[in-house]
Amino acid sequence: MKFMKLGSKPDAFQADGKSIRYVSSELATDVIINVGEVKFYLHKFPLLSKSNRLQKLVSKANEENSEEVYMVDFPGGPKSFEICAKFCYGMTVTLNAYNVVAARCAAEYLEMTEDVDRSNLVFKIEVFLNSSIFRSWKDSIIVLQTTKPLLSWAEDLKIVGRCIDSIASKTSVDPANISWSYTYNRKLAETDKIVEEGMNYRVEKVPRDWWVEDICELDIDLYKRVMIAVKSKGRMDGAVIGEALKTYAVRWLPDSVDALVSDEHALRNKSLVETIICLLPSDKGMGCSCSFLLKLLKVSILVGADYSLREDLVKRISLKLHEARIVDLLIPARSPQITIYDVELVQSVVNQFLMHEKCNWNLDVVEKNEKGIDKFILGHGSLLSVGRLIDGYLAEIAHDPNLNLCSFIDLSQSIPELARPIHDGLYKAIDIYLKEHPSLTKAERKRICGLMNVKKLTMEASMDAAQNELLPLRVVVQVLFFEQVRSAAGVRAANNHPSDASLSTTNLDEECDKTALAEEENCKPLGKHMSEIKVTEEFQKNGKLGKKNSKNSRSGVQLLPSRSRRIFDKLWSVGKGQHVENRSSETSGSSQSPTSIVPGDAKSVSSSRHRRHSIS
């Protein structure tokens, strides 16, 4: 810390209690200066030779036959007046970053200028400020902090402005030349300040955000002015600005919700949050992490920040939504909402995100163009990340008994189909919702399950869905049927007929939809549609392969509940060319198990390839 000593005489000021100060001298004092509640017994000559104001006040007191002078509104109070009085007496006084502002304001008040005496106190303090204080990073911050109780005086004397400019200029200096930050000095004191690299040693580099912690002690109003000055220089990266704001928010915002919204600190916290939002980098949040922006949004809602600022936050968050975590989106709902989390707010963020995405890519064209789909996946990983994020969020909010079906469906459908190449996450969310909402009607279950495409489930998810008693019958049929289709396609590929497998998969996918739709809506016999599907013939091309698949099928079927197992048996029996007499056979079970297929039946199955079965 910089300091300056003035005067050379010994300090002769003494105290008599808390309210009396006097100078020990052979000469009797001839004037009493009242500063606040303290009386100073002093001599006129040394004071009047340096202060123009004291000349006027003493002259006025003499006219009134009084020895006392009153200065009630003296800047800095008795302590700063004592500094000025000691200077007038030529006594030793030390100026530093903690008392220089008060001394400068007091000297201005007393009019201790060059017009009264050469090298007066105002001149000496200005020299100290310009040559030492404003050149020091640490001292500039301390001086700026001390201006708060004397803000109007410090503003008029331009001390505040000069401190801010000094601080902002130093933040833009090349980090390689930094040696004055207290934060960095603390780091240098650690044992790892010198890093070993092979046979060489180097001093650890100063990070670009070396300054952010140092200014966190500033009051929010002064902090705002410093940050505006830093940004106006145009040399600070948005990421560093974002880190500075995050550090300040962590330093001053309380962790608990109760402390955040308490009557004692509510206004302060609201002002702080609104100021931080206003100071966010102009690149719409690119310099701040999505996690920080979402936390800021949570706090802004709790403290009742301005609506327009919250809307600005939502726009910024939407640009970085692909970086968010599920826990970041769990924003508590506020009255009159009855849900646990604010689903409407997340829906708004997702809508903003999609609006931005559609500006960069025409989703409608992509959905109709296979080549476009490949290009989309490669160039729009952010959309895929958001798809996974929202599926995870749906799984979290599905536990809420107050979450209505429309909110769940609307949020799920807001994500384009291309954002969900796999539906495992969506299936998990639907499964949780069905378990937590057992009172759903059959139509509502059908509606929510309609969000899911069974063709996009992995093998593991399909096996789970096939055993899920909560799913509608139609969905179980689709799951079992498509797994059989996928198995057939795998066999074709194993027999080196990839083109046939691809064609077969496409045709069978379409047939699967037709079969399930007819079974659910038209209530026609299941066997009539199933018999048109020739699935198992490919399993018979290789005897060993047929045995292997038969064995695997047996073990898989045993895991299925009775309803799913009966449906699965029907699919296999249809593939073998058996007649399914009527719909009621589904509930009575199938006498023919998939495990009954043996290699010896391959010939008969092959011969039945050219026949189609019907049910009268």
Side-chain angles (χ1 to χ4, degrees):
M1 181 184 296
K2 305 292 184 180
F3 65 91
M4 180 175 71
K5 283 189 176 182
L6 300 175
S8 57
K9 296 179 181 179
D11 184 356
F13 268 70
Q14 296 184 12
D16 185 2
K18 294 182 179 179
S19 59
I20 295 177
R21 299 282 288 165
Y22 64 93
V23 176
S24 177
S25 173
E26 295 178 356
L27 298 175
T29 58
D30 52 6
V31 65
I32 302 173
I33 309 294
N34 292 273
V35 181
E37 297 178 353
V38 179
K39 291 180 178 291
F40 287 87
Y41 291 83
L42 306 173
H43 302 86
K44 292 180 182 179
F45 178 73
L47 298 177
L48 301 187
S49 65
K50 300 286 185 180
S51 171
N52 189 42
R53 176 171 287 240
L54 282 176
Q55 291 177 13
K56 298 174 185 176
L57 291 175
V58 170
S59 176
K60 183 178 179 181
N62 290 336
E63 292 176 1
E64 298 174 353
N65 295 321
S66 174
E67 293 184 352
E68 296 192 31
V69 174
Y70 292 89
M71 292 187 291
V72 179
D73 57 346
F74 195 86
K79 289 185 178 180
S80 60
F81 176 79
E82 186 172 329
I83 292 174
C84 296
K86 287 180 179 180
F87 174 79
C88 293
Y89 278 93
M91 299 177 185
T92 302
V93 59
T94 303
L95 295 178
N96 54 47
Y98 290 99
N99 63 15
V100 68
V101 173
R104 175 66 181 87
C105 295
E108 187 70 20
Y109 181 92
L110 293 173
E111 300 177 11
M112 300 175 71
T113 62
E114 297 299 287
D115 296 336
V116 181
D117 188 43
R118 186 178 179 181
S119 296
N120 213 341
L121 186 56
V122 169
F123 172 77
K124 289 187 177 294
I125 292 178
E126 282 297 324
V127 170
F128 178 55
L129 288 171
N130 294 322
S131 63
S132 299
I133 295 296
F134 297 142
R135 292 187 179 185
S136 167
W137 166 258
K138 180 178 178 180
D139 290 341
S140 295
I141 294 174
I142 294 172
V143 166
L144 187 57
Q145 286 178 284
T146 62
T147 61
K148 186 177 179 180
L150 299 167
L151 195 57
S152 60
W153 279 91
E155 290 281 12
D156 291 341
L157 297 174
K158 303 192 184 317
I159 297 175
V160 175
R162 286 184 287 172
C163 278
I164 291 173
D165 186 66
S166 170
I167 294 169
S169 297
K170 288 175 175 60
T171 62
S172 303
V173 173
D174 184 352
N177 299 324
I178 301 301
S179 60
W180 49 68
S181 162
Y182 357 87
T183 300
Y184 184 59
N185 285 342
R186 286 199 298 269
K187 289 179 180 177
L188 284 179
E190 297 174 1
T191 56
D192 61 349
K193 73 173 183 176
I194 297 181
V195 181
E196 183 176 355
E197 291 184 334
M199 299 298 294
N200 300 319
Y201 294 88
R202 65 175 177 84
V203 178
E204 189 177 13
K205 291 183 178 179
V206 180
R208 294 190 64 190
D209 61 350
W210 59 268
W211 53 274
V212 300
E213 292 183 22
D214 296 350
I215 63 173
C216 278
E217 296 302 319
L218 294 174
D219 181 74
I220 185 61
D221 294 329
L222 292 175
Y223 181 84
K224 178 181 179 180
R225 293 175 64 177
V226 169
M227 291 303 297
I228 290 174
V230 170
K231 293 170 68 177
S232 67
K233 299 291 182 181
R235 288 175 281 182
M236 191 59 61
D237 185 78
V240 181
I241 296 291
E243 182 63 25
L245 296 175
K246 178 182 177 181
T247 304
Y248 192 83
V250 170
R251 170 67 178 82
W252 290 105
L253 287 175
D255 294 329
S256 69
V257 175
D258 292 339
L260 196 63
V261 299
S262 65
D263 295 335
E264 184 180 359
H265 301 294
L267 289 177
R268 171 189 168 277
N269 292 334
K270 179 182 177 182
S271 174
L272 192 151
V273 170
E274 290 180 341
T275 299
I276 291 177
I277 296 174
C278 291
L279 290 173
L280 289 172
S282 57
D283 57 0
K284 290 298 180 183
M286 289 298 107
C288 300
S289 69
C290 190
S291 178
F292 170 61
L293 293 175
L294 281 164
K295 289 177 182 177
L296 205 57
L297 181 60
K298 289 181 187 179
V299 175
S300 67
I301 294 171
L302 289 171
V303 300
D306 186 77
Y307 180 77
S308 61
L309 294 176
R310 281 186 277 168
E311 284 295 298
D312 180 62
L313 265 182
V314 169
K315 292 179 181 178
R316 292 173 181 271
I317 292 168
S318 67
L319 297 177
K320 300 174 74 68
L321 185 59
H322 57 283
E323 297 179 3
R325 301 173 302 167
I326 296 173
V327 67
D328 297 329
L329 294 179
L330 300 178
I331 301 174
R334 303 284 286 176
S335 181
Q337 296 178 347
I338 61 173
T339 55
I340 298 174
Y341 301 113
D342 196 336
V343 181
E344 293 179 6
L345 181 61
V346 174
Q347 179 76 70
S348 176
V349 174
V350 173
N351 291 341
Q352 289 280 354
F353 169 79
L354 292 175
M355 286 176 59
H356 176 70
E357 285 293 311
K358 286 179 180 179
C359 291
N360 297 333
W361 191 272
N362 189 335
L363 295 181
D364 294 331
V365 173
V366 175
E367 289 174 358
K368 297 178 182 178
N369 188 333
E370 281 191 16
K371 294 182 179 179
I373 291 174
D374 295 337
K375 186 176 180 182
F376 177 86
I377 292 175
L378 291 174
H380 287 71
S382 59
L383 188 56
L384 299 176
S385 297
V386 170
R388 291 191 295 270
L389 174 70
I390 297 304
D391 284 349
Y393 178 75
L394 287 169
E396 287 293 330
I397 63 175
H399 293 282
D400 185 357
N402 294 324
L403 178 67
N404 62 61
L405 183 63
C406 290
S407 296
F408 184 95
I409 291 176
D410 289 345
L411 182 57
S412 174
Q413 290 181 334
S414 65
I415 300 300
E417 188 64 24
L418 287 171
R420 285 194 183 101
I422 297 176
H423 277 209
D424 286 19
L426 182 58
Y427 166 67
K428 178 182 177 182
I430 292 172
D431 182 44
I432 294 173
Y433 192 88
L434 292 175
K435 291 176 181 176
E436 296 292 336
H437 300 78
S439 61
L440 290 178
T441 64
K442 182 179 179 181
E444 289 173 332
R445 289 174 181 270
K446 179 179 177 181
R447 185 181 174 195
I448 192 173
C449 290
L451 298 170
M452 179 176 57
N453 186 347
V454 299
K455 301 174 189 177
K456 295 188 177 182
L457 295 177
T458 62
M459 180 72 73
E460 182 180 359
S462 294
M463 290 300 296
D464 186 84
Q467 302 174 69
N468 195 335
E469 294 285 352
L470 298 175
L471 298 180
L473 178 62
R474 179 186 177 189
V475 176
V476 176
V477 171
Q478 290 175 326
V479 170
L480 294 173
F481 198 98
F482 187 70
E483 279 307 309
Q484 192 174 5
V485 169
R486 184 149 51 186
S487 298
V491 172
R492 292 180 186 275
N495 287 319
N496 299 321
H497 295 290
S499 60
D500 292 344
S502 176
L503 180 60
S504 175
T505 301
T506 303
N507 294 336
L508 290 173
D509 289 353
E510 296 174 358
E511 199 65 39
C512 173
D513 291 339
K514 293 178 182 178
T515 300
L517 182 62
E519 189 277 334
E520 179 71 20
E521 298 179 357
N522 300 329
C523 295
K524 292 181 181 180
L526 183 64
K528 180 177 180 179
H529 302 281
M530 297 299 189
S531 62
E532 299 177 2
I533 313 302
K534 295 170 288 184
V535 177
T536 60
E537 62 182 68
E538 296 299 334
F539 285 89
Q540 313 307 319
K541 290 185 178 181
N542 186 296
K544 293 182 179 179
L545 184 60
K547 289 183 179 180
K548 181 178 180 181
N549 280 283
S550 176
K551 183 178 180 181
N552 292 338
S553 299
R554 182 184 295 110
S555 61
V557 169
Q558 297 307 315
L559 297 175
L560 302 177
S562 59
R563 180 184 68 163
S564 300
R565 187 161 58 250
R566 288 195 295 270
I567 298 172
F568 194 85
D569 289 346
K570 250 181 212 306
L571 296 178
W572 279 84
S573 64
V574 168
K576 291 179 63 180
Q578 292 183 341
H579 294 271
V580 180
E581 294 183 0
N582 51 48
R583 174 72 180 271
S584 63
S585 64
E586 178 187 335
T587 58
S588 62
S590 174
S591 61
Q592 184 67 35
S593 169
T595 60
S596 64
I597 299 175
V598 294
D601 292 334
K603 184 175 181 180
S604 62
V605 172
S606 177
S607 65
S608 68
R609 186 182 309 171
H610 304 290
R611 300 198 306 271
R612 300 184 65 83
H613 302 272
S614 62
I615 298 177
S616 58

